[in-house]
Amino acid sequence: MTIPLAGYLGLGLWMFVVGTIGVMIRRNPIVIFMCIELMLNAVNLTFLAFARYGAVSPNMQHGGMVQSSMAGQMIVIFVMAVAAAEVAVGLGIIMAIFRLRHSIDIDEMSVLRG
Amino acid sequence: MTLFGVLAGVAALSAVGVVAFGSAVRSALCLIANFFCLAFLYFTLNAELLGITQIIVYTGAIMVLFLFVIMLLNLGSPQFLREPPDFLKKGIGLLLGIMLFGLIGSQIIAPLAKNEPVMASAGTVATAANYGLVPRSREDFGSPQAVGTALFTTYVWPFEVASVLLLIGIVGSIMLAKRKI
């Protein structure tokens, strides 16, 4: 019995929604970063599930299917690279803000509000 | 089936734990558990190289960075950054999240889940009828050889752009971390 595609998509949807709720209700910027990582990983899981189960295309030959399954994996690799760069820069920003204000409560950082 | 159930259950529960725990260290540990389960789910999708990359990059590098910053800021102590209960914000956030879940679930996943398996005639597996029920990629599509060949032939230009992005990230984080340049 193979797992249907909807199982993986359901897990990805669950993780994405939990990450979205976390970004909205938490005030600790480090936890907000973790929730963003959660959302990125949910999207990665969705990409890989679609890559494994194939895309609907009426005139898809075998070579095209191989190419499309590779495209899903490639974008997962690039999402991982972007997430690594984002975490490095974001945690650097948090450290700089903490040095400046000795507090990292995200609701008090309203200096840039227009 | 049981393997997927166990892995998905642990992943879903630890995802909730990331949001629900008050202390940042517990959230980070839940996130590590979640990433491990995701790596094994990648294995069940035959994407072996990406599963190993997930373990190395996320649990090996990114989560260590997170824990390092948490220790550096001394956020582990619970009296630091106590979040006052803000029920209006939590309620609105939960409501919006449930709406998003219902929207995507009813529009995308429910039609997929209703797909019934159709007996393909004469080996035509790749019909749109039983889409999402059987894996249709090649068995070795996640092997290091296949991924590397695609990465260095078709996708070599995005690969170079990603390396430039990582370089910019390194320079930017050093700029942010230094007091005086």
Side-chain angles (χ1 to χ4, degrees):
Chain A
M1 168 100 194
T2 57
I3 313 295
L5 174 62
Y8 289 100
L9 293 188
L11 179 63
L13 171 64
W14 173 256
M15 281 171 55
F16 189 86
V17 168
V18 169
T20 315
I21 293 173
V23 169
M24 284 191 285
I25 70 175
R26 292 304 298 261
R27 295 173 67 186
N28 189 337
I30 295 179
V31 179
I32 290 178
F33 258 107
M34 288 183 204
C35 291
I36 293 173
E37 294 298 317
L38 204 59
M39 292 159 77
L40 287 172
N41 273 281
V43 174
N44 278 352
L45 180 66
T46 307
F47 269 123
L48 273 184
F50 273 120
R52 177 79 175 120
Y53 285 85
V56 166
S57 180
N59 53 359
M60 184 168 277
Q61 299 301 311
H62 189 67
M65 208 177 318
V66 170
Q67 283 303 315
S68 76
S69 65
M70 290 326 282
Q73 285 186 308
M74 291 302 119
I75 202 156
V76 169
I77 289 178
F78 295 132
V79 166
M80 281 182 184
V82 170
E86 170 238 337
V87 162
V89 174
L91 290 179
I93 290 174
I94 291 176
M95 291 295 296
I97 291 176
F98 183 75
R99 265 208 315 262
L100 206 64
R101 307 178 61 135
H102 297 286
S103 155
I104 56 167
D105 193 333
I106 202 104
D107 284 356
E108 292 172 4
M109 294 177 202
S110 52
V111 183
L112 285 182
R113 179 163 31 179
Chain B
M1 196 74 192
T2 50
L3 179 67
F4 176 79
V6 169
L7 287 174
V10 174
L13 279 181
S14 53
V16 173
V18 173
V19 177
F21 275 125
S23 124
V25 178
R26 287 184 185 167
S27 294
L29 292 179
C30 275
L31 197 55
I32 290 174
N34 189 358
F35 286 168
F36 257 108
C37 289
L38 272 188
F40 287 108
L41 282 176
Y42 291 176
F43 291 153
T44 65
L45 284 169
N46 277 17
E48 295 95 358
L49 182 68
L50 281 173
I52 293 169
T53 312
Q54 168 89 3
I55 292 180
I56 292 174
V57 171
Y58 273 106
T59 61
I62 292 184
M63 291 318 294
V64 168
L65 196 61
F66 267 114
L67 286 173
F68 200 72
V69 170
I70 291 170
M71 304 294 173
L72 213 58
L73 296 184
N74 198 15
L75 288 178
S77 52
Q79 67 269 18
F80 191 88
L81 194 77
R82 177 173 301 278
E83 303 196 9
D86 189 351
F87 291 112
L88 179 68
K89 192 166 96 172
K90 285 198 169 76
I92 291 177
L94 276 177
L95 185 69
L96 288 174
I98 289 168
M99 282 166 61
L100 181 67
F101 188 87
L103 185 67
I104 301 179
S106 66
Q107 296 304 313
I108 294 172
I109 297 182
L112 267 180
K114 271 190 306 211
N115 257 2
E116 291 295 321
V118 174
M119 271 300 139
S121 59
T124 53
V125 189
T127 55
N130 53 6
Y131 175 67
L133 294 171
V134 284
R136 296 206 314 228
S137 72
R138 273 177 21 187
E139 285 297 315
D140 62 340
F141 87 116
S143 66
Q145 185 187 4
V147 175
T149 306
L151 193 61
F152 289 110
T153 54
T154 316
Y155 297 94
V156 67
W157 174 237
F159 179 76
E160 297 293 336
V161 175
S163 67
V164 173
L165 175 82
L166 284 174
L167 181 65
I168 294 172
I170 293 169
V171 175
S173 54
I174 290 174
M175 285 274 292
L176 285 166
K178 274 183 80 70
R179 290 168 194 272
K180 276 195 168 57
I181 304 298

Tab-separated table of all heavy atoms in Angstrom, chain B residues 134-177:
chain	number	residue	atom	x	y	z
B	134	VAL	N	0.002	6.787	-7.266
B	134	VAL	CA	1.203	5.972	-7.409
B	134	VAL	C	2.371	6.900	-7.729
B	134	VAL	O	2.198	7.871	-8.463
B	134	VAL	CB	1.042	4.920	-8.524
B	134	VAL	CG1	0.189	3.790	-8.058
B	134	VAL	CG2	0.476	5.556	-9.762
B	135	PRO	N	3.554	6.621	-7.170
B	135	PRO	CA	4.724	7.423	-7.521
B	135	PRO	C	5.093	7.203	-8.983
B	135	PRO	O	5.121	6.074	-9.463
B	135	PRO	CB	5.810	6.890	-6.596
B	135	PRO	CG	5.111	6.147	-5.549
B	135	PRO	CD	3.845	5.643	-6.134
B	136	ARG	N	5.329	8.295	-9.688
B	136	ARG	CA	5.566	8.155	-11.124
B	136	ARG	C	6.959	8.568	-11.541
B	136	ARG	O	7.286	8.472	-12.710
B	136	ARG	CB	4.537	8.992	-11.878
B	136	ARG	CG	3.147	8.501	-11.660
B	136	ARG	CD	2.259	8.852	-12.795
B	136	ARG	NE	2.423	10.231	-13.194
B	136	ARG	CZ	1.413	11.055	-13.389
B	136	ARG	NH1	0.193	10.636	-13.190
B	136	ARG	NH2	1.620	12.275	-13.778
B	137	SER	N	7.769	9.041	-10.624
B	137	SER	CA	9.137	9.359	-11.023
B	137	SER	C	9.946	8.064	-11.049
B	137	SER	O	9.484	7.008	-10.617
B	137	SER	CB	9.758	10.339	-10.048
B	137	SER	OG	10.023	9.678	-8.836
B	138	ARG	N	11.163	8.168	-11.569
B	138	ARG	CA	12.022	6.989	-11.567
B	138	ARG	C	12.447	6.656	-10.151
B	138	ARG	O	12.495	7.521	-9.288
B	138	ARG	CB	13.245	7.245	-12.434
B	138	ARG	CG	12.984	6.915	-13.864
B	138	ARG	CD	14.133	7.209	-14.763
B	138	ARG	NE	15.426	7.297	-14.100
B	138	ARG	CZ	16.512	7.687	-14.743
B	138	ARG	NH1	16.437	8.004	-16.010
B	138	ARG	NH2	17.664	7.762	-14.130
B	139	GLU	N	12.777	5.389	-9.900
B	139	GLU	CA	13.107	4.958	-8.543
B	139	GLU	C	14.372	5.645	-8.046
B	139	GLU	O	14.489	5.944	-6.862
B	139	GLU	CB	13.297	3.439	-8.510
B	139	GLU	CG	12.004	2.653	-8.581
B	139	GLU	CD	11.108	2.929	-7.386
B	139	GLU	OE1	11.604	2.938	-6.263
B	139	GLU	OE2	9.908	3.150	-7.609
B	140	ASP	N	15.319	5.911	-8.946
B	140	ASP	CA	16.610	6.457	-8.515
B	140	ASP	C	16.697	7.955	-8.786
B	140	ASP	O	17.759	8.477	-9.028
B	140	ASP	CB	17.750	5.732	-9.228
B	140	ASP	CG	17.671	5.919	-10.723
B	140	ASP	OD1	16.582	6.250	-11.211
B	140	ASP	OD2	18.702	5.753	-11.396
B	141	PHE	N	15.565	8.636	-8.756
B	141	PHE	CA	15.618	10.058	-9.114
B	141	PHE	C	16.260	10.893	-8.028
B	141	PHE	O	16.602	12.036	-8.277
B	141	PHE	CB	14.207	10.587	-9.430
B	141	PHE	CG	13.436	11.084	-8.241
B	141	PHE	CD1	13.075	12.406	-8.141
B	141	PHE	CD2	13.076	10.224	-7.236
B	141	PHE	CE1	12.370	12.864	-7.036
B	141	PHE	CE2	12.368	10.676	-6.142
B	141	PHE	CZ	12.018	11.989	-6.050
B	142	GLY	N	16.432	10.341	-6.830
B	142	GLY	CA	17.057	11.103	-5.758
B	142	GLY	C	18.470	10.663	-5.461
B	142	GLY	O	19.036	11.062	-4.457
B	143	SER	N	19.047	9.832	-6.309
B	143	SER	CA	20.403	9.359	-6.059
B	143	SER	C	21.391	10.500	-6.269
B	143	SER	O	21.099	11.450	-6.997
B	143	SER	CB	20.729	8.206	-6.991
B	143	SER	OG	20.764	8.675	-8.311
B	144	PRO	N	22.559	10.445	-5.610
B	144	PRO	CA	23.542	11.517	-5.793
B	144	PRO	C	23.944	11.703	-7.246
B	144	PRO	O	24.179	12.834	-7.682
B	144	PRO	CB	24.722	11.041	-4.954
B	144	PRO	CG	24.138	10.164	-3.935
B	144	PRO	CD	22.972	9.501	-4.576
B	145	GLN	N	23.980	10.598	-8.014
B	145	GLN	CA	24.386	10.721	-9.412
B	145	GLN	C	23.367	11.535	-10.204
B	145	GLN	O	23.731	12.476	-10.925
B	145	GLN	CB	24.534	9.334	-10.023
B	145	GLN	CG	25.072	9.388	-11.431
B	145	GLN	CD	25.050	8.024	-12.082
B	145	GLN	OE1	24.561	7.067	-11.481
B	145	GLN	NE2	25.560	7.959	-13.278
B	146	ALA	N	22.092	11.222	-10.032
B	146	ALA	CA	21.068	11.945	-10.799
B	146	ALA	C	21.010	13.412	-10.394
B	146	ALA	O	20.953	14.313	-11.245
B	146	ALA	CB	19.713	11.278	-10.589
B	147	VAL	N	21.053	13.663	-9.063
B	147	VAL	CA	20.974	15.056	-8.596
B	147	VAL	C	22.178	15.843	-9.058
B	147	VAL	O	22.064	16.992	-9.519
B	147	VAL	CB	20.836	15.077	-7.060
B	147	VAL	CG1	20.877	16.502	-6.545
B	147	VAL	CG2	19.542	14.438	-6.645
B	148	GLY	N	23.373	15.232	-8.952
B	148	GLY	CA	24.574	15.952	-9.350
B	148	GLY	C	24.606	16.242	-10.836
B	148	GLY	O	24.992	17.345	-11.256
B	149	THR	N	24.152	15.272	-11.635
B	149	THR	CA	24.130	15.507	-13.081
B	149	THR	C	23.203	16.661	-13.430
B	149	THR	O	23.557	17.550	-14.208
B	149	THR	CB	23.666	14.226	-13.794
B	149	THR	OG1	24.494	13.159	-13.372
B	149	THR	CG2	23.767	14.407	-15.295
B	150	ALA	N	22.028	16.679	-12.795
B	150	ALA	CA	21.105	17.781	-13.093
B	150	ALA	C	21.641	19.102	-12.574
B	150	ALA	O	21.503	20.142	-13.223
B	150	ALA	CB	19.735	17.496	-12.475
B	151	LEU	N	22.288	19.058	-11.395
B	151	LEU	CA	22.744	20.301	-10.775
B	151	LEU	C	23.871	20.937	-11.575
B	151	LEU	O	23.957	22.162	-11.646
B	151	LEU	CB	23.204	20.008	-9.348
B	151	LEU	CG	23.431	21.182	-8.412
B	151	LEU	CD1	22.144	21.942	-8.241
B	151	LEU	CD2	23.905	20.698	-7.075
B	152	PHE	N	24.709	20.132	-12.199
B	152	PHE	CA	25.865	20.710	-12.890
B	152	PHE	C	25.693	20.760	-14.398
B	152	PHE	O	26.640	21.109	-15.096
B	152	PHE	CB	27.129	19.943	-12.519
B	152	PHE	CG	27.559	20.192	-11.111
B	152	PHE	CD1	27.461	19.195	-10.168
B	152	PHE	CD2	28.016	21.433	-10.733
B	152	PHE	CE1	27.818	19.435	-8.862
B	152	PHE	CE2	28.380	21.675	-9.425
B	152	PHE	CZ	28.285	20.678	-8.487
B	153	THR	N	24.520	20.381	-14.897
B	153	THR	CA	24.295	20.581	-16.336
B	153	THR	C	23.157	21.572	-16.568
B	153	THR	O	23.393	22.704	-16.976
B	153	THR	CB	23.970	19.243	-17.021
B	153	THR	OG1	22.874	18.653	-16.329
B	153	THR	CG2	25.148	18.316	-17.004
B	154	THR	N	21.941	21.160	-16.236
B	154	THR	CA	20.795	22.018	-16.546
B	154	THR	C	20.727	23.208	-15.601
B	154	THR	O	20.360	24.306	-16.016
B	154	THR	CB	19.496	21.205	-16.422
B	154	THR	OG1	19.712	19.942	-17.044
B	154	THR	CG2	18.351	21.920	-17.100
B	155	TYR	N	21.081	22.987	-14.335
B	155	TYR	CA	20.851	24.010	-13.309
B	155	TYR	C	22.159	24.623	-12.839
B	155	TYR	O	22.268	25.029	-11.691
B	155	TYR	CB	20.095	23.400	-12.136
B	155	TYR	CG	18.724	22.908	-12.524
B	155	TYR	CD1	18.523	21.595	-12.896
B	155	TYR	CD2	17.646	23.774	-12.547
B	155	TYR	CE1	17.279	21.157	-13.279
B	155	TYR	CE2	16.409	23.341	-12.925
B	155	TYR	CZ	16.231	22.029	-13.290
B	155	TYR	OH	14.993	21.598	-13.672
B	156	VAL	N	23.146	24.702	-13.726
B	156	VAL	CA	24.451	25.196	-13.261
B	156	VAL	C	24.412	26.709	-13.036
B	156	VAL	O	25.080	27.222	-12.138
B	156	VAL	CB	25.561	24.785	-14.254
B	156	VAL	CG1	25.395	25.481	-15.583
B	156	VAL	CG2	26.931	25.035	-13.674
B	157	TRP	N	23.589	27.416	-13.769
B	157	TRP	CA	23.512	28.871	-13.604
B	157	TRP	C	22.820	29.254	-12.287
B	157	TRP	O	23.365	30.066	-11.531
B	157	TRP	CB	22.844	29.475	-14.837
B	157	TRP	CG	22.559	30.934	-14.773
B	157	TRP	CD1	21.359	31.522	-14.916
B	157	TRP	CD2	23.484	32.002	-14.562
B	157	TRP	NE1	21.461	32.874	-14.789
B	157	TRP	CE2	22.760	33.194	-14.572
B	157	TRP	CE3	24.861	32.056	-14.320
B	157	TRP	CZ2	23.351	34.431	-14.381
B	157	TRP	CZ3	25.450	33.283	-14.124
B	157	TRP	CH2	24.699	34.449	-14.169
B	158	PRO	N	21.657	28.670	-11.946
B	158	PRO	CA	21.131	28.926	-10.591
B	158	PRO	C	22.072	28.492	-9.484
B	158	PRO	O	22.132	29.131	-8.427
B	158	PRO	CB	19.835	28.119	-10.554
B	158	PRO	CG	19.449	27.947	-11.944
B	158	PRO	CD	20.709	27.892	-12.733
B	159	PHE	N	22.839	27.426	-9.724
B	159	PHE	CA	23.803	26.973	-8.723
B	159	PHE	C	24.842	28.061	-8.447
B	159	PHE	O	25.158	28.368	-7.283
B	159	PHE	CB	24.465	25.698	-9.245
B	159	PHE	CG	25.508	25.121	-8.344
B	159	PHE	CD1	25.146	24.431	-7.215
B	159	PHE	CD2	26.846	25.262	-8.642
B	159	PHE	CE1	26.099	23.893	-6.381
B	159	PHE	CE2	27.803	24.732	-7.810
B	159	PHE	CZ	27.435	24.053	-6.687
B	160	GLU	N	25.352	28.686	-9.522
B	160	GLU	CA	26.336	29.754	-9.332
B	160	GLU	C	25.711	30.949	-8.629
B	160	GLU	O	26.336	31.573	-7.764
B	160	GLU	CB	26.904	30.191	-10.695
B	160	GLU	CG	27.664	29.094	-11.420
B	160	GLU	CD	28.937	28.724	-10.699
B	160	GLU	OE1	29.446	29.554	-9.948
B	160	GLU	OE2	29.397	27.586	-10.880
B	161	VAL	N	24.465	31.272	-8.991
B	161	VAL	CA	23.792	32.396	-8.336
B	161	VAL	C	23.612	32.112	-6.845
B	161	VAL	O	23.789	32.994	-6.001
B	161	VAL	CB	22.439	32.674	-9.034
B	161	VAL	CG1	21.679	33.742	-8.283
B	161	VAL	CG2	22.666	33.118	-10.453
B	162	ALA	N	23.297	30.832	-6.509
B	162	ALA	CA	23.144	30.481	-5.096
B	162	ALA	C	24.467	30.633	-4.358
B	162	ALA	O	24.493	31.079	-3.208
B	162	ALA	CB	22.628	29.051	-4.971
B	163	SER	N	25.577	30.309	-5.027
B	163	SER	CA	26.867	30.469	-4.353
B	163	SER	C	27.167	31.945	-4.118
B	163	SER	O	27.697	32.318	-3.065
B	163	SER	CB	27.976	29.808	-5.170
B	163	SER	OG	28.162	30.494	-6.370
B	164	VAL	N	26.812	32.804	-5.091
B	164	VAL	CA	27.011	34.246	-4.877
B	164	VAL	C	26.139	34.731	-3.724
B	164	VAL	O	26.562	35.544	-2.891
B	164	VAL	CB	26.711	35.008	-6.188
B	164	VAL	CG1	26.752	36.507	-5.943
B	164	VAL	CG2	27.722	34.638	-7.236
B	165	LEU	N	24.906	34.200	-3.646
B	165	LEU	CA	24.007	34.585	-2.544
B	165	LEU	C	24.596	34.202	-1.202
B	165	LEU	O	24.560	34.982	-0.240
B	165	LEU	CB	22.650	33.911	-2.736
B	165	LEU	CG	21.678	34.132	-1.585
B	165	LEU	CD1	21.013	35.466	-1.729
B	165	LEU	CD2	20.657	33.043	-1.507
B	166	LEU	N	25.186	32.998	-1.116
B	166	LEU	CA	25.793	32.580	0.143
B	166	LEU	C	26.975	33.466	0.490
B	166	LEU	O	27.184	33.805	1.667
B	166	LEU	CB	26.223	31.121	0.050
B	166	LEU	CG	25.070	30.131	0.150
B	166	LEU	CD1	25.564	28.733	-0.098
B	166	LEU	CD2	24.446	30.202	1.516
B	167	LEU	N	27.725	33.866	-0.530
B	167	LEU	CA	28.869	34.762	-0.279
B	167	LEU	C	28.378	36.095	0.275
B	167	LEU	O	28.939	36.630	1.257
B	167	LEU	CB	29.636	34.971	-1.577
B	167	LEU	CG	30.868	35.875	-1.473
B	167	LEU	CD1	31.899	35.220	-0.591
B	167	LEU	CD2	31.444	36.154	-2.834
B	168	ILE	N	27.300	36.620	-0.327
B	168	ILE	CA	26.737	37.880	0.174
B	168	ILE	C	26.242	37.700	1.607
B	168	ILE	O	26.408	38.586	2.459
B	168	ILE	CB	25.603	38.353	-0.758
B	168	ILE	CG1	26.177	38.716	-2.122
B	168	ILE	CG2	24.891	39.559	-0.185
B	168	ILE	CD1	25.119	39.004	-3.147
B	169	GLY	N	25.654	36.534	1.902
B	169	GLY	CA	25.199	36.267	3.267
B	169	GLY	C	26.344	36.266	4.259
B	169	GLY	O	26.237	36.825	5.355
B	170	ILE	N	27.466	35.650	3.867
B	170	ILE	CA	28.639	35.629	4.762
B	170	ILE	C	29.111	37.054	5.033
B	170	ILE	O	29.299	37.461	6.184
B	170	ILE	CB	29.774	34.795	4.123
B	170	ILE	CG1	29.390	33.329	4.040
B	170	ILE	CG2	31.041	34.941	4.912
B	170	ILE	CD1	30.340	32.519	3.196
B	171	VAL	N	29.289	37.841	3.946
B	171	VAL	CA	29.790	39.207	4.127
B	171	VAL	C	28.807	40.032	4.956
B	171	VAL	O	29.204	40.783	5.857
B	171	VAL	CB	30.037	39.847	2.742
B	171	VAL	CG1	30.441	41.298	2.904
B	171	VAL	CG2	31.116	39.100	2.005
B	172	GLY	N	27.506	39.863	4.688
B	172	GLY	CA	26.509	40.640	5.417
B	172	GLY	C	26.483	40.300	6.891
B	172	GLY	O	26.390	41.197	7.738
B	173	SER	N	26.587	39.004	7.235
B	173	SER	CA	26.532	38.662	8.659
B	173	SER	C	27.791	39.137	9.374
B	173	SER	O	27.723	39.539	10.540
B	173	SER	CB	26.331	37.159	8.830
B	173	SER	OG	27.312	36.460	8.123
B	174	ILE	N	28.936	39.150	8.681
B	174	ILE	CA	30.148	39.688	9.324
B	174	ILE	C	29.991	41.190	9.543
B	174	ILE	O	30.330	41.717	10.611
B	174	ILE	CB	31.388	39.375	8.458
B	174	ILE	CG1	31.675	37.884	8.504
B	174	ILE	CG2	32.601	40.132	8.963
B	174	ILE	CD1	32.775	37.461	7.594
B	175	MET	N	29.430	41.883	8.552
B	175	MET	CA	29.181	43.324	8.688
B	175	MET	C	28.276	43.619	9.882
B	175	MET	O	28.480	44.578	10.620
B	175	MET	CB	28.510	43.867	7.425
B	175	MET	CG	29.407	44.019	6.238
B	175	MET	SD	30.238	45.575	6.274
B	175	MET	CE	28.870	46.676	6.004
B	176	LEU	N	27.233	42.765	10.049
B	176	LEU	CA	26.302	42.999	11.148
B	176	LEU	C	26.926	42.675	12.496
B	176	LEU	O	26.603	43.301	13.496
B	176	LEU	CB	25.050	42.157	10.951
B	176	LEU	CG	24.088	42.651	9.896
B	176	LEU	CD1	23.087	41.575	9.579
B	176	LEU	CD2	23.376	43.874	10.397
B	177	ALA	N	27.805	41.676	12.522
B	177	ALA	CA	28.301	41.213	13.810
B	177	ALA	C	29.439	42.064	14.331
B	177	ALA	O	29.644	42.140	15.539
B	177	ALA	CB	28.751	39.758	13.684
